[in-house]
Structures are given as structure tokens and as C-alpha cells.
Amino acid sequence: PTPLAPVGVFLTPEGANPVLVEDLGSMIAGFIKAEGLRYQILPSLDPIDFQNEEIALVVALPPFPDLTALTESAPETKFLAIEFDGLSISDNLSLLGSGGAEYDIQGFVAGYIAAMITPDWRVGALSVEDDPNALAALNGFRTGVKYYCGLCNPKYAPVGPNYLYPKYFVFPVGATDSEISYYIDYMVDRVVNTYYIIPGVGTPQIYRKLIGYEKYIIGSGIDYRDEYQDFWVASLEYDLVSSLEEFWPRFLESETGLEELPPLLITDVNPDLLSEGKLNLVGRILEELQAGYIKTSYD
């Protein structure tokens, strides 16, 4: 009998981002089959699975628990982790879009855009506690706003200690719907007119409530819906599809782990809110940020 070919696995655990699964699934399947491997999409893997089957490649999405331990249990298998945080490359583990994907830069760009398009600089952000990526994005946002408008003092009423910008609110982990509504009302009462929704924070409830108040939104591409378009300024997202296409041959050929961050894209742009000229200016600022000419924090 002809022996079965080794296996390439797309590891999509429970809780994996469905948009990523859909966007990357067919590409990964094609890559794996092109190597002459059998393709499997699985929700989990255990060390014993590598004893029962010859698994040559694993492409994993978060939130798979303790991927490092799994890679150590299968040193002959090449692993590619996409959008994981807190991992380090090793001899058989490569990373794409890891380490928070430069949320500080994303936050800075969001702050710069928000200040640019909002009269009297009345801008703010919604974040969440106990998340280092959310903290990095929030710090970047505050810096980006200040980079554009300096003191950001409103010229017209209402003014005073309660009307200094940028504002932000950090949701407690596990906040209820009623608590979230209260926090948004708090921001609206302080005349915040443009909001940056930090990645991982946005929910349909938040977006619909802000749109009900006719507030403008800068958010993640995975959160965008057509129903938001009138008040959606732009999406900030990372081009994982193009990055994976470019990264894959190097991943296969490398004898040790590689790491790469995909480029930040500004998509779903509403030209009535963010004109082509302003978008070009933001693009130049983004180039300087990525080159390290502009810092994303005051520290």
C-alpha cells in the first residue's frame, strides 16, 4: 500500500476570530496542498496526535492555550502562529502579526485622524482594563491627538475642567450592558464627538449606541458593518492576507523561527469625513511612525 502523505493542519480553536478563519482558510489550504500534504482543519491538537500521525506543518490562530508547550512536544513539526501575543520564536515556531501588531502605532494614527477631523478636538477612546495591547493603543491614541493639536483646548462652549481632550474611558473586564451604556453616556455628556474603539473592545451594542447619538467612529476592520458607514470614519487593520502570501515561502525555507509584523492599513474610509488630502497626510505620518521618527508615547 502507498503510505499516506504527512499532514498540514490549520488549527482554529474555539473562540478563534471567524473573519480570520474565513479570510485565511482557503489560502492556507492551498499552500499546504501545494506541498503535497494532506490538509486538515482542526479545533485542537495534543502532543499524542503527533505520535499517531505525521504532522509536518501547523498554522495556528489564537486563543489556543500554551502553544509553546505544543511546539516543544513536536520539534520536527514547523509551526506558524498568527496574531498570538506573548510568544517568542524558536527553532520550529514562527510568528506573523504577533506581539500586539504595534497597537501603539495604530492608536497614534487613530488619535491623529480623530483630532484632524473633529471640531474643537472633542475626541476620546474606549478601552478595557488588564490588556497590555489596549493600554499601548490608548497611550498611542493620546499621543497622536496631542501631536496634531498640541494643547487641544476647545475654543467654543462648553469649556472648563470637564471639557479637556482627549478623553478616554477604560471598561472593567466583564462590564455589563448597562454599565457599558452608562460609560458611553458619560463620554457623550462630555461632548466627545469622535471615538476610537480600541481593538477587542467594540461590540454591536457600543457601535449602535454611538451611532444613535450620531457620533463618529474609528475602529477595527473586523468590526465594520455596512450599517455603520454613515458615521464610520475609517478602519485600522493589518494586512495579514498579503503578509502571509509573502511570508509563506520564507517560513517554509527557514531552518529556524521567523517573526514579521504586517503593515497597517487604513480601510473603509468615509470620504465625507476623511478626505483624500487628509488621508495622504495620515499616510506620510504613518511612514514616519514605522520608520521610528515619531514616538508613540510621552515617555
Side-chain angles (χ1 to χ4, degrees):
T2 303
L4 292 173
V7 175
V9 174
F10 186 24
L11 185 56
T12 58
E14 183 179 355
N17 185 329
V19 176
L20 272 185
V21 174
E22 180 177 354
D23 288 350
L24 301 180
S26 59
M27 177 181 289
I28 291 169
F31 287 158
I32 288 175
K33 291 175 182 177
E35 296 303 308
L37 303 175
R38 289 180 291 137
Y39 174 68
Q40 294 181 5
I41 181 167
L42 300 175
S44 65
L45 273 177
D46 294 306
I48 195 171
D49 295 324
F50 294 85
Q51 300 174 23
N52 298 331
E53 189 108 59
E54 185 181 354
I55 301 176
L57 295 172
V58 176
V59 181
L61 296 182
F64 187 83
D66 207 357
L67 184 62
T68 299
L70 187 65
T71 65
E72 292 172 349
S73 71
E76 301 303 318
T77 301
K78 291 178 74 76
F79 288 81
L80 174 57
I82 297 179
E83 286 219 316
F84 277 78
D85 296 326
L87 294 182
S88 299
I89 61 173
S90 62
D91 287 344
N92 66 332
L93 175 60
S94 294
L95 310 177
L96 178 64
S98 304
E102 296 183 312
Y103 277 119
D104 58 332
I105 290 179
Q106 183 181 143
F108 187 104
V109 171
Y112 191 87
I113 292 173
M116 176 187 289
I117 68 166
T118 308
D120 261 0
W121 335 115
R122 299 182 192 272
V123 302
L126 298 179
S127 186
V128 66
E129 292 178 343
D130 301 330
D131 184 335
N133 292 333
L135 178 61
L138 179 57
N139 286 338
F141 174 81
R142 295 167 62 196
T143 308
V145 172
K146 293 292 186 180
Y147 186 89
Y148 185 84
C149 63
L151 294 176
C152 310
N153 290 331
K155 183 177 180 180
Y156 303 101
V159 295
N162 289 330
Y163 302 97
L164 301 177
Y165 305 91
K167 290 197 175 297
Y168 61 92
F169 206 96
V170 179
F171 295 145
V173 176
T176 65
D177 288 349
S178 61
E179 288 174 326
I180 289 172
S181 292
Y182 170 82
Y183 300 139
I184 292 176
D185 288 341
Y186 171 90
M187 298 281 278
V188 170
D189 288 345
R190 282 148 184 81
V191 202
V192 176
N193 290 325
T194 301
Y195 292 75
Y196 171 44
I197 311 301
I198 285 171
V201 175
T203 65
Q205 176 204 1
I206 290 174
Y207 292 127
R208 288 168 183 156
K209 188 170 181 67
L210 289 174
I211 289 169
Y213 282 122
E214 298 188 347
K215 303 300 183 182
Y216 296 119
I217 297 166
I218 301 167
S220 299
I222 61 172
D223 292 343
Y224 176 76
R225 302 290 183 271
D226 288 342
E227 65 182 283
Y228 308 153
Q229 62 183 342
D230 290 343
F231 296 94
W232 193 273
V233 179
S235 298
L236 300 175
E237 57 186 336
Y238 292 91
D239 189 0
L240 279 171
V241 173
S242 297
S243 294
L244 177 60
E245 190 169 15
E246 186 275 333
F247 186 70
W248 186 263
R250 293 190 287 118
F251 162 67
L252 291 180
E253 295 169 4
S254 176
E255 296 181 0
T256 187
L258 304 174
E259 182 172 9
E260 184 161 308
L261 292 174
L264 180 66
L265 299 180
I266 304 171
T267 62
D268 304 317
V269 175
N270 185 331
D272 294 331
L273 302 174
L274 182 61
S275 68
E276 183 177 353
K278 290 178 179 179
L279 187 59
N280 289 337
L281 178 57
V282 174
R284 293 198 294 271
I285 291 295
L286 177 56
E287 289 176 0
E288 294 188 11
L289 282 164
Q290 293 173 329
Y293 298 139
I294 301 175
K295 295 180 64 176
T296 58
S297 70
Y298 297 120
D299 299 332

